[in-house]
Amino acid sequence: QVQLVESGGGSVQAGGSLRLACLAPGGMPAGVCMGWFRQTPGKERQKVATIDQNGRTTYVDPVKGRFTISKDRAKNTLSLQMNSLKPEDTALYSCAAAVSQSCGIAGFVYWGQGTQVTVSS
């Protein structure tokens, strides 16, 4: 079992920045893909960014060039730096860990509770 705890959400104006953190108190799982997802009411959960065991990253098109995912194994922390925020980035952001090195959405089985990000215009 992998426990994940997010922090860093909040309310910002458009153009602002936030840095989300996801702590794995029991240790960051090795050899698996990890990622950040977001969801708004009435919409499907969207994969925002992933990072695999080799540090390779992927991003959904709307956040490319604005968001950066990273991990610090020494601190057991996965981060998401979000710059140039837009109102459409408003969502509940959750971190997740997969059971393998594959970053396919079906493989993510460990989830945090989420942290709310609200961007006002």
Side-chain angles (χ1 to χ4, degrees), residues 28-34 51-54 71 73 98-102:
M28 186 173 288
V32 302
C33 184
M34 297 191 72
I51 184 166
D52 71 9
Q53 62 176 350
N54 296 312
K71 61 182 177 181
R73 294 193 61 86
V99 292
S100 73
Q101 57 185 322
S102 171

Side-chain angles (χ1 to χ4, degrees), residues 3-99:
Q3 183 183 7
L4 301 171
V5 182
E6 301 96 336
S7 63
S11 297
V12 295
Q13 290 190 327
S17 298
L18 284 173
R19 185 176 181 87
L20 305 183
C22 174
L23 175 66
M28 186 173 288
V32 302
C33 184
M34 297 191 72
W36 285 95
F37 295 75
R38 64 187 181 186
Q39 189 169 24
T40 55
K43 294 187 177 181
E44 290 189 359
R45 181 180 284 161
Q46 180 184 45
K47 184 166 59 176
V48 175
T50 63
I51 184 166
D52 71 9
Q53 62 176 350
N54 296 312
R56 289 184 294 244
T57 59
T58 66
Y59 299 91
V60 66
D61 283 346
V63 309
K64 286 181 179 178
R66 300 188 296 122
F67 290 13
T68 303
I69 188 172
S70 61
K71 61 182 177 181
D72 186 334
R73 294 193 61 86
K75 296 182 179 180
N76 293 327
T77 300
L78 178 75
S79 299
L80 184 69
Q81 177 67 43
M82 305 186 296
N83 299 326
S84 302
L85 283 161
K86 303 176 181 180
E88 51 264 43
D89 295 318
T90 294
L92 181 70
Y93 284 73
S94 301
C95 67
V99 292

